[in-house]
Amino acid sequence: MIQFRQVTVNYGYVPGALKDINLQMHDGDFTLILGPTGSGKSTLLRLIYMDILPSSGVVTVDKWSSFRISPRQINRLRRNIGVVFQDFKLIDNMSVFDNVALPLVIEGYRRKYIRKLVHVLLDEVNLLQSKDQRASTLSLGEKQRVAIARAMAKNPFVVIADEPTGNLDREASKNVLSLLERINRNGTSVIMATHDYELIKETPYKRIYMENGEVLPGDRTINIPNKRINILANKE
Amino acid sequence: MKFFFVIKQTFSNLWRERTPVVATILTICIALTILVALFEISFVLYDQLRDLESNMMVEVYLDPSATDSQVKVIQSELERYPTIERLRFVSKETAAAIFNEEFGENIMDILDENPLPVSFEVRLLREFNHSEYLALFKTQVESLKGVDEVHYRHALIEKLEKVTEAVAIAGIFVLIILVFAMNLLIRNTIKLSVYAKRRQIDIMKILGAGNLLIRMPYILEGAIEGFIGGFLSAICLIFAHKFIAGSFALVEIGTSTYKVLWVLTISFGILIGFLTSATSVGRFVNKIFAKK
Ligand SMILES: Nc1ncnc2c1ncn2[C@@H]1O[C@H](COP(=O)(O)OP(=O)(O)OP(=O)(O)O)[C@@H](O)[C@H]1O
Ligand SMILES: [Mg+2]
């Protein structure tokens, strides 16, 4: 379970990137974080993998709490979370194989085991044939699939995706979404921040709507027509 | 697998920054060569000085007019010196015999009478054979009645002492400057590597990599630069030895000294490379991510 209790984030002297957030996300859920640019979606997600710590309040992720957490424990936490980003965050001059293997190398697994596991993972995202290619030579959609394979390498309890389709065309976006859905069906929680209303409008998932660093109450994203326009207008 | 990863990263860093890396390795090589050469020179000088000291003879020449009883007094005075190891009386006749032996001529044939003065040959305890004590000994003994002059090879010993000291001081200076230069250049390559890999470091952090794994490639990078620099320096020094040994009788080097050279330069190179990178990589990594 992931829990936010009275969480506030100020970036330096700029206050209110997040204001008094109270939230719970349950294991196995697929959660969408929606909201205009600058509303605090990325900030919310960064708190989960503890890239930043709250200025006040507490974030609890599984058995880790942001309160007085040590750097070593933050690393532990991150090794149990999968992350996917809009800009993929692949290491461009490494092969596809090495990119997917990276979390396993960090964990200190044996070479033989890594090789087997990476094969399975690349097969899942349909990129086994590209395993020896440099990551930089892939198409954007392929890159994101590599990133998803890497996020799944450690079989995390949650995958966090911050606008994973932000740089992708329609076809690739659908592909990424269906991969995340498949991951979720296998029991892993998925938390995805997105601008792409078109992509998710038909989905039945839980939605958290953010604006100005606050979570709007209720499940109104989909239901209020004005908001829908807002989301799209703000994307430009 | 971690191990292979670190090694691969290390060599990719070295290759990526090859120009500054080569400059750094050359600097380390030159610095170590100069340092070890200075060390060796002062070693040889010191050896010479010791040699000279342990073979040094101090001669106490007596007045030709000194009476037998004065000679007795001088002898007993000298015998009371605890710094004297050996004392030998050299009569006129013995002196003539020594002269004869050294020059192959009888002094009596050249001159009508034996002009050589009576003297004492003094050998001081080894640790008192330095110019400071010798000067003191000279003034003390020369103040005795019947002593004409105390003689030793003071010019040579003083000169050698001065040179040895100067080389040692220069060595310390050069050591400081060169260590500083090596430090600067090694840090520079580490900084460049960390900067070039900042995206990768960022990604590894997000994936939960520990500090050690993140820093290890850069620490090894410094150590390898030091290793190669030390290795090249040993080669330079051995060539220098081969070259000098032919024309310079002073430096006689056996193969055991070559072993010492290899060990000395390589271990010093690795040490400075390792310490410099290990103490600076954390700062560079933090600096790059400070803005987050
Ligand atoms: N590193 C930072 N330093 C200062 N302010 C920041 C930083 N990151 C984000 N902010 C500010 O915090 C607020 C929330 O930003 P955040 O990135 O969480 O929004 P977002 O909803 O993810 O937006 P987008 O849809 O554009 O990704 C914004 O006002 C933003 O300007
Ligand atoms: Mg964002």
Side-chain angles (χ1 to χ4, degrees):
Chain A
M1 189 160 78
I2 296 169
Q3 196 173 38
F4 287 70
R5 259 177 295 170
Q6 298 172 16
V7 172
T8 302
V9 171
N10 309 315
Y11 283 111
Y13 296 108
V14 189
L18 288 183
K19 300 167 199 155
D20 194 27
I21 302 288
N22 289 283
L23 270 182
Q24 273 192 12
M25 300 172 202
H26 297 282
D27 290 348
D29 279 2
F30 196 124
T31 309
L32 296 167
I33 315 279
L34 305 170
T37 291
S39 58
K41 303 184 295 293
S42 296
T43 304
L44 192 80
L45 297 185
R46 286 175 73 191
L47 284 166
I48 298 175
Y49 60 95
M50 302 206 188
D51 194 27
I52 51 171
L53 294 172
S55 308
S56 70
V58 181
V59 179
T60 312
V61 181
D62 200 38
K63 57 180 190 258
W64 291 275
S65 159
S66 68
F67 182 67
R68 296 175 71 143
I69 189 169
S70 71
R72 192 176 292 255
Q73 285 304 321
I74 291 179
N75 288 338
R76 273 278 147 79
L77 163 71
R78 288 180 185 171
R79 284 188 248 149
N80 283 282
I81 291 181
V83 281
V84 179
F85 298 94
Q86 178 172 3
D87 63 354
F88 322 120
K89 293 208 191 296
L90 298 180
I91 300 175
D92 285 333
N93 58 4
M94 278 191 191
S95 69
V96 168
F97 180 97
D98 285 344
N99 267 285
V100 177
L102 192 55
L104 304 167
V105 171
I106 289 170
E107 196 61 44
Y109 288 151
R110 303 190 144 270
R111 192 204 276 266
K112 228 169 117 185
Y113 177 66
I114 292 179
R115 195 170 308 153
K116 256 191 223 160
L117 195 50
V118 172
H119 267 255
V120 172
L121 289 160
L122 283 175
D123 202 24
E124 292 272 317
V125 298
N126 219 345
L127 278 172
L128 199 48
Q129 73 286 352
S130 313
K131 73 177 167 57
D132 296 321
Q133 247 170 281
R134 275 171 164 243
S136 57
T137 63
L138 299 178
S139 74
L140 300 181
E142 288 170 330
K143 281 186 182 175
Q144 198 58 298
R145 274 146 62 201
V146 172
I148 290 172
R150 183 181 67 186
M152 288 311 294
K154 301 280 301 300
N155 194 19
F157 70 93
V158 60
V159 169
I160 290 165
D162 193 352
E163 310 213 21
T165 62
N167 281 331
L168 307 183
D169 61 28
R170 194 90 327 240
E171 196 60 32
S173 295
K174 280 183 181 161
N175 199 320
V176 162
L177 180 63
S178 72
L179 274 175
L180 291 174
E181 287 178 317
R182 177 134 54 94
I183 288 166
N184 180 243
R185 275 199 299 277
N186 289 333
T188 301
S189 315
V190 174
I191 303 169
M192 172 169 139
T194 185
H195 271 132
D196 194 345
Y197 176 70
E198 271 305 306
L199 182 69
I200 52 95
K201 69 176 178 196
E202 309 271 279
T203 62
Y205 306 126
K206 195 175 163 187
R207 291 160 165 75
I208 292 173
Y209 188 81
M210 300 194 65
E211 200 170 273
N212 267 327
E214 289 174 299
V215 171
L216 298 186
D219 186 16
R220 55 161 108 178
T221 358
I222 281 322
N223 303 330
I224 300 174
N226 289 346
K227 287 291 180 205
R228 186 190 311 167
I229 291 158
N230 270 349
I231 300 169
L232 296 173
N234 269 317
K235 195 175 157 65
E236 269 31 85
Chain B
M1 194 63 189
K2 252 184 189 173
F3 175 76
F4 290 108
F5 176 81
V6 168
I7 298 294
K8 215 169 156 183
Q9 289 302 311
T10 305
F11 283 98
S12 106
N13 289 351
L14 286 166
W15 179 246
R16 179 195 289 268
E17 306 298 333
R18 53 194 172 275
T19 314
V21 163
V22 166
T24 305
I25 288 173
L26 287 182
T27 308
I28 295 171
C29 168
I30 293 167
L32 286 179
T33 305
I34 293 173
L35 281 177
V36 174
L38 267 176
F39 177 78
E40 280 192 70
I41 290 170
S42 65
F43 200 76
V44 168
L45 280 174
Y46 191 71
D47 231 36
Q48 292 289 306
L49 190 62
R50 290 266 92 167
D51 240 30
L52 190 68
E53 282 171 357
S54 60
N55 288 322
M56 197 157 72
M57 207 63 85
V58 178
E59 263 145 330
V60 179
Y61 295 108
L62 303 190
D63 267 339
S65 59
T67 62
D68 279 359
S69 64
Q70 272 177 335
V71 173
K72 283 254 148 46
V73 172
I74 291 166
Q75 176 154 20
S76 65
E77 283 287 333
L78 287 175
E79 275 166 355
R80 278 173 43 213
Y81 270 91
T83 56
I84 290 178
E85 187 184 59
R86 202 149 55 77
L87 183 68
R88 185 165 83 122
F89 178 72
V90 183
S91 66
K92 268 180 153 11
E93 293 70 38
T94 321
I98 292 169
F99 187 93
N100 193 3
E101 205 174 292
E102 280 198 9
F103 299 100
E105 271 180 288
N106 195 334
I107 195 153
M108 306 292 243
D109 297 343
I110 306 166
L111 300 162
D112 287 344
E113 59 175 321
N114 183 349
L116 297 171
V118 170
S119 68
F120 286 100
E121 244 180 43
V122 175
R123 188 190 285 270
L124 291 173
L125 287 169
R126 198 188 163 128
E127 58 268 36
F128 292 97
N129 271 323
H130 52 78
S131 53
E132 214 175 315
Y133 181 75
L134 285 165
L136 179 74
F137 183 79
K138 181 176 158 82
T139 41
Q140 281 182 354
V141 175
E142 277 179 355
S143 71
L144 295 174
K145 233 194 189 93
V147 174
D148 181 26
E149 196 196 353
V150 175
H151 180 82
Y152 59 92
R153 291 194 286 168
H154 64 97
L156 185 61
I157 199 164
E158 275 164 22
K159 198 180 258 171
L160 206 53
E161 274 177 0
K162 274 207 187 104
V163 172
T164 308
E165 197 182 357
V167 169
I169 289 172
I172 289 168
F173 251 109
V174 172
L175 179 85
I176 291 168
I177 291 169
L178 292 182
V179 165
F180 191 76
M182 284 190 270
N183 194 60
L184 205 74
L185 281 158
I186 294 167
R187 283 170 39 140
N188 181 51
T189 58
I190 302 306
K191 191 174 170 177
L192 288 170
S193 289
V194 168
Y195 193 74
K197 290 273 174 82
R198 63 194 183 282
R199 232 180 92 81
Q200 176 178 334
I201 294 172
D202 182 38
I203 291 167
M204 288 179 69
K205 282 189 162 184
I206 288 171
L207 296 177
N211 274 340
L212 195 66
L213 181 65
I214 287 176
R215 293 175 187 183
M216 212 44 173
Y218 308 96
I219 296 174
L220 276 185
E221 187 184 342
I224 287 176
E225 286 173 350
F227 170 80
I228 299 174
F231 184 87
L232 293 179
S233 156
I235 291 177
C236 289
L237 284 162
I238 286 170
F239 264 109
H241 273 295
K242 292 231 155 107
F243 185 68
I244 290 170
S247 56
F248 226 118
L250 270 185
V251 200
E252 265 183 43
I253 294 295
T255 43
S256 71
T257 318
Y258 288 160
K259 264 181 217 150
V260 172
L261 273 183
W262 287 112
V263 173
L264 194 73
T265 54
I266 289 176
S267 55
F268 192 64
I270 291 175
L271 193 73
I272 190 158
F274 173 82
L275 287 181
T276 304
S277 49
T279 53
S280 62
V281 60
R283 209 155 357 113
F284 294 140
V285 170
N286 290 340
K287 220 182 237 171
I288 282 168
F289 294 102
K291 276 169 244 114
K292 233 186 181 178

